[in-house]
Structure formats: structure tokens, C-alpha cells
Amino acid sequence: MMALQQASAFLVLFLVALLLPPQCAQDPAMVHYIYQRFQVLEQGLEKCTQATRAYIHDFQEFSKNLSVMLGRCQTSTSEYRSAVANLALRVERAQREIDYLEYLREADICLESEDKTLAEKLIQEAEEEKKIRTLLNASCDNMLMGIKSLKIVKKTMDTHGSWMKDAASSSQKVYFLIGSRNKTLWEFANMRAFMEDSTKPAPRKLILTHSWQGTGQVIHKGFLFFHNQGTLNEIIKYNLQKRTVEDRMLLPGGAGRALVYQHSPSTYIDLAVDEHGLWAIHAGPGISGHLVLTKIEPGTLGVEHSWDTPCRSQDAEAAFLLCGVLYVVYSSGGHGPHRVTCVYDPLGTIGEEDLPKLFFPRRPRSHSVIHYNPRDKQLYAWNDGNQIIYKLQTKRKQPLE
């Protein structure tokens, strides 16, 4: 170390002598000053060298420690990845178990829902049956067994029309409605006056405020109910005494879109009266649509209930109700034989197998209308201009269980 310092001092003196001008190089004070400054510079360089060595040593230690830490990190990363993969498998297995439990829970809910729906449906059907039995719980237990006789009461030149008595009144008046589109109604005092034109008193002529459509009119408790001409499904309740429209309704269920009977070319809605009150019959959708039966409350014209029946409008010519049972008359080509081949009982107490073959006396044409009168238990019909009464043979229905 001493030799190094001496060499350094010699080097400094040599540089001073070399670099300084001759006059400065001969000055001892100047040389000493420059020497001291070089010593300071040398000491600074020595400290810088030591600091650099220390930094290099520290960096080498840091690199070594960092390498060790990176190795440990890689090992930890591998372990972490393995743990994550294992956790993912456990989560997937747990999710499958949860999905299975959820499936079982939903299956139980579906079964409970189906059971509840079935129970509600059964309750609804029972309530509906109870409602129908209550609705049709009149003192009437007759069923049709045959046509006993035919009586032609009057002959006219009009092919289509209807005639009737008040189905819910003791009045003897007879009402005569000519044609399938008209607004003139004739009122006869009794059956004899209707049969003999010369009998007094003369019939009363009533001009309605609206024209009827078809031949499905009925009279119930002094009111004429008819399908209003020019409308699809409007039923008018007309007060015969006041000669005013009492009320009106729109018959639902697609009524009025098709002929109710194939062989009655002008009737789209057929009204009827029996022991249970007022009914409406119309055809459902389709070329050979089935008949729809609707019970109407005559006081308010509210719909009480509707039934889709199995009876078709194709080949049908007329229908009537007796004790809540629908009897539909069919004929081949409209020329007979005229036979009841479809019966519908909303209570299910009568089927076609319970009835004999119900034939009407053969007529040259189809009936324009056949309506039942519950007071005298007869059918009032119009056939090819003839006003006809059919007397009926009935028997008691089987009681409901």
C-alpha cells in the first residue's frame, strides 16, 4: 500500500512537471498545492471505487436472493395451481349435487303443482256440475219417446215462417210470423180464430220497430225474442203490449256466423223455450260445425251457461228442447225422412241409446221451424206453408244419482 502511495506521488509530481509551465514548475508552493488537490481527487476516486465494489457486492447478493425467491415462487405457483384445480373439481362436484337437489325439488314442486291443478280441476268440475244441476233443477223429468200424431192447423202460401203461443203464459193467443225477414206480426185471439179467418174478432196487426232474421222467434211472458235482421248476433226482447224494445243482447260464442241448420237457409240463431226457460242454439265454427247451446236468463238477457254439443249442423233442419234436453232433427237433402238422430242432455241422464227411433211423419220438404211449448206439451212446426202441431209421447227420465 505504501509503495502504491509513493508511486502515485511520483506520478503526480511527474504530471505537474510535464503539464505546468517552467516558471510554475519551479515554484514549490504551487507544486505542493497541486499535489494536495490530486490527493483529494485520488481519495475521492478511491471512495468511488469502494462504493462501486460494495454496490456490485450488494447487487450480487440481491440477485442471488432473488433467484432463490423466484425458485420458491415457482414452487408455490405450482402448488397454488394444483390447489386451484383441486378446488375447481370440488366446486364442480358440489354444483352437480346442487343441480340434482334442485331437480328433485322442482320435480316435487311439479308433482305438487300437478296434484293441485288436478284437485282444482276436479273441484271446478264438481262446482260446475252442481251449478248446472241447480240451473236445470225444474220439476221436469220427461224424455221424448215418440211422435204420436200430426195435425195440420192451417195452410198458407209462405214456405218459411213461425207460429206459436206464449210458452210461459196461460193466454190462448196465437202469434203468426210470416217469412224469414219481416217486421209484421199477427196476433189471433185463440186457436179457432187462427184456424178460421172469418172468425171474430179479427187478428191484431203489430208492426215491430225492427225486422227479424230467420224463423227462430219465441214468445215468453209477453215478450217476443228474435234475432235482429242486419246484425250478426243481436237478440231483441220486444214488449208486445207496449210495442217497444225492452232490452237487447249480443249472443257470444261466435253466434250468427253460420247457418244453425243446413236445411234452414235463413236461420242463424234459433231461440227456444222449455220448462227451464229461454235458450239459444247456434252453429260453431266450420262447414259442419257442431251446435252450441246457450241458456239465457230472460229477465236480464244474461248468459247463464253454454255447452258445446256433439250435434252437427250439417243435414240438420230444426231442433227443440224438452225438459232441458236438446233434440236435433235431421233429414237427407231436406226431403226426409225427418228423424231425431242427435240428443244432448247437459246433465248426462239421457243418451241416444236410451231413446227409440224418433221419426216425424214424412213431409215433402224440411221444416222451417219446430218449437216445443212446455204448457201444452206439443210441438209447433212450419213445413212448406203448413202450420202443424205434433203431439208427443214421453216417459220419465232416470233419476240423477
Side-chain angles (χ1 to χ4, degrees):
M1 186 67 180
M2 183 65 71
L4 181 61
Q5 292 179 348
Q6 292 178 354
S8 176
F10 177 79
L11 179 61
V12 169
L13 293 175
F14 175 76
L15 289 174
V16 169
L18 181 65
L19 295 174
L20 290 177
Q23 61 273 19
C24 292
Q26 299 299 321
D27 187 354
M30 179 64 70
V31 172
H32 181 72
Y33 172 75
I34 292 173
Y35 176 74
Q36 287 180 341
R37 300 302 299 172
F38 267 101
Q39 279 187 330
V40 171
L41 178 62
E42 185 180 33
Q43 291 174 358
L45 290 173
E46 180 65 22
K47 290 180 179 180
C48 180
T49 302
Q50 291 177 356
T52 301
R53 289 174 180 172
Y55 173 77
I56 292 173
H57 179 267
D58 291 343
F59 183 78
Q60 288 175 345
E61 289 293 326
F62 172 76
S63 297
K64 181 179 178 180
N65 293 333
L66 182 63
S67 297
V68 174
M69 292 176 66
L70 288 175
R72 292 176 180 176
C73 182
Q74 290 178 353
T75 302
S76 299
T77 301
S78 177
E79 294 175 353
Y80 173 75
R81 288 177 179 174
S82 177
V84 169
N86 185 38
L87 180 60
L89 291 175
R90 294 174 64 185
V91 170
E92 183 179 358
R93 188 181 304 111
Q95 185 63 47
R96 287 199 300 266
E97 293 177 355
I98 291 173
D99 291 342
Y100 178 69
L101 293 175
E102 183 68 18
Y103 166 76
L104 294 178
R105 188 183 71 84
E106 290 181 355
D108 291 339
I109 292 175
C110 289
L111 290 175
E112 291 176 1
S113 177
E114 290 178 359
D115 292 341
K116 182 179 180 181
T117 301
L118 179 60
E120 290 177 349
K121 183 178 180 181
L122 292 175
I123 292 173
Q124 184 178 1
E125 290 178 352
E127 291 178 349
E128 191 73 14
E129 183 178 355
K130 181 179 179 181
K131 177 182 176 182
I132 294 173
R133 291 193 180 192
T134 302
L135 181 65
L136 303 181
N137 187 24
S139 57
C140 179
D141 57 359
N142 291 330
M143 57 186 291
L144 183 62
M145 296 303 295
I147 310 299
K148 290 176 60 176
S149 63
L150 170 150
K151 179 180 180 180
I152 298 177
V153 177
K154 192 180 184 72
K155 292 184 179 181
T156 64
M157 299 299 295
D158 302 287
T159 305
H160 301 288
S162 63
W163 73 291
M164 68 205 73
K165 289 183 178 181
D166 191 327
S169 170
S170 59
S171 172
Q172 297 300 311
K173 293 179 181 179
V174 177
Y175 297 91
F176 192 53
L177 294 82
I178 302 173
S180 58
R181 295 177 181 86
N182 202 343
K183 61 192 304 184
T184 301
L185 178 147
W186 296 92
E187 180 187 275
F188 293 83
N190 49 49
M191 186 64 72
R192 182 178 179 182
F194 176 68
M195 296 173 61
E196 302 174 5
D197 294 335
S198 60
T199 303
K200 301 296 183 179
R204 185 167 69 124
K205 182 179 181 181
L206 302 179
I207 306 297
L208 308 180
T209 56
H210 298 74
S211 297
W212 64 74
Q213 170 69 46
T215 58
Q217 306 84 21
V218 294
I219 295 177
H220 184 270
K221 294 184 179 179
F223 295 97
L224 172 68
F225 296 85
F226 62 93
H227 179 197
N228 187 17
Q229 182 187 357
T231 68
L232 183 66
N233 58 343
E234 185 179 64
I235 305 300
I236 286 183
K237 177 182 179 182
Y238 188 86
N239 191 317
L240 293 175
Q241 184 177 1
K242 297 179 181 179
R243 301 190 183 188
T244 58
V245 174
E246 188 81 8
D247 203 353
R248 62 185 72 203
M249 70 171 292
L250 297 178
L251 189 64
R257 299 183 182 276
L259 293 173
V260 61
Y261 313 119
Q262 180 183 358
H263 298 310
S264 184
S266 59
T267 302
Y268 291 83
I269 298 174
D270 188 17
L271 300 172
V273 175
D274 73 347
E275 292 81 359
H276 298 292
L278 182 63
W279 302 78
I281 309 165
H282 70 86
I287 298 176
S288 58
H290 293 83
L291 300 182
V292 178
L293 180 64
T294 302
K295 183 72 176 63
I296 301 174
E297 208 292 310
T300 62
L301 290 187
V303 173
E304 295 182 293
H305 204 281
S306 288
W307 297 266
D308 293 323
T309 77
C311 303
R312 297 179 297 109
S313 63
Q314 185 178 9
D315 289 330
E317 61 178 73
F320 57 93
L321 282 109
L322 188 156
C323 288
V325 178
L326 177 68
Y327 298 85
V328 185
V329 182
Y330 293 87
S331 61
S332 178
H335 301 293
H338 313 282
R339 178 185 175 187
V340 174
T341 56
C342 186
V343 177
Y344 177 74
D345 180 6
L347 293 177
T349 58
I350 295 179
E352 294 181 17
E353 65 278 2
D354 301 318
L355 300 173
K357 294 181 179 180
L358 299 173
F359 285 96
F360 284 79
R362 188 175 184 89
R363 303 297 300 167
R365 295 180 181 272
S366 61
H367 291 85
S368 175
V369 65
I370 301 176
H371 278 170
Y372 172 70
N373 188 303
R375 291 193 62 84
D376 56 24
K377 313 298 182 185
Q378 298 181 133
L379 296 179
Y380 289 73
W382 189 302
N383 184 284
D384 195 26
N386 297 306
Q387 288 73 57
I388 303 171
I389 288 179
Y390 292 110
K391 292 187 179 296
L392 306 177
Q393 179 183 357
T394 62
K395 78 170 187 177
R396 296 189 62 180
K397 294 189 290 185
Q398 295 295 325
L400 288 172
E401 297 180 0

